[in-house]
C-alpha cells in the first residue's frame, strides 16, 4: 500500500512537470510561415500569465486567456465575447495551430 501511494505521488509530479514544460514551449511571439501568410493569422503572442493575442494583416488584434483542456486542446476565453477551442502544439521548433471549428486548417508559425 505504501509503495502504491509513493508511486501515485511520483506519477502526479511527473505528469505535472510534463504539462508545464509543454505549456512553456508555447510561450513567445510566433509569426506565420510564408506558405500560410494571408490564409492564417499573421502572429500569435502567447504569454506565461495565460494571455494570448493573435492578429491579422491590417492590425486587427484579438486578445483572450488560454487554458489547457486536454492533450493539445486549449480553450481561449474572450471575456463576454465568447470562447474558442484551439489545438496548440510545438513540433520541430514550430507552433502548429488549428481552431476547433469545422473546416479549420492547421497553420504553422516560427518563433520571432
Amino acid at each position: 500500500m505504501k509503495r502504491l501511494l509513493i508511486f501515485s505521488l511520483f506519477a502526479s509530479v511527473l505528469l505535472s512537470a510534463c504539462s508545464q514544460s509543454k505549456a512553456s514551449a508555447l510561450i513567445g511571439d510566433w509569426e506565420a510561415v510564408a506558405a500560410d501568410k494571408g490564409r492564417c493569422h499573421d502572429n500569435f503572442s502567447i504569454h506565461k500569465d495565460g494571455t494570448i493575442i493573435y492578429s491579422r494583416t491590417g492590425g486587427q488584434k484579438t486578445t483572450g486567456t488560454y487554458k489547457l483542456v486536454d492533450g493539445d486542446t486549449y480553450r481561449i476565453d474572450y471575456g463576454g465575447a465568447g470562447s474558442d477551442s484551439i489545438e496548440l502544439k510545438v513540433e520541430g521548433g514550430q507552433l502548429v495551430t488549428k481552431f476547433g471549428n469545422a473546416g479549420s486548417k492547421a497553420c504553422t508559425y516560427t518563433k520571432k
Side-chain angles (χ1 to χ4, degrees):
M1 183 69 164
K2 194 175 193 179
R3 286 184 186 179
L4 181 60
L5 179 61
I6 291 171
F7 176 76
S8 295
L9 288 171
F10 177 73
S12 295
V13 169
L14 183 61
L15 287 173
S16 175
C18 290
S19 295
Q20 289 174 356
S21 65
K22 182 192 278 190
S24 67
L26 298 172
I27 306 303
D29 295 320
W30 301 87
E31 182 174 32
V33 297
D36 285 342
K37 288 195 183 238
R39 182 178 71 79
C40 299
H41 292 93
D42 292 336
N43 300 290
F44 268 84
S45 185
I46 303 173
H47 302 270
K48 189 176 184 177
D49 69 356
T51 304
I52 187 167
I53 302 166
Y54 53 95
S55 61
R56 288 199 179 274
T57 304
Q60 178 189 359
K61 288 186 178 184
T62 304
T63 302
T65 56
Y66 66 93
K67 183 175 183 177
L68 180 64
V69 175
D70 183 38
D72 294 320
T73 303
Y74 291 78
R75 166 83 54 225
I76 301 176
D77 182 10
Y78 305 110
S83 63
D84 275 321
S85 175
I86 186 170
E87 187 176 297
L88 299 170
K89 59 185 167 184
V90 176
E91 296 177 334
Q94 294 184 316
L95 174 67
V96 179
T97 69
K98 185 176 181 199
F99 279 91
N101 51 330
S104 179
K105 298 194 184 321
C107 297
T108 305
Y109 299 82
T110 55
K111 236 177 194 172
K112 287 184 181 183

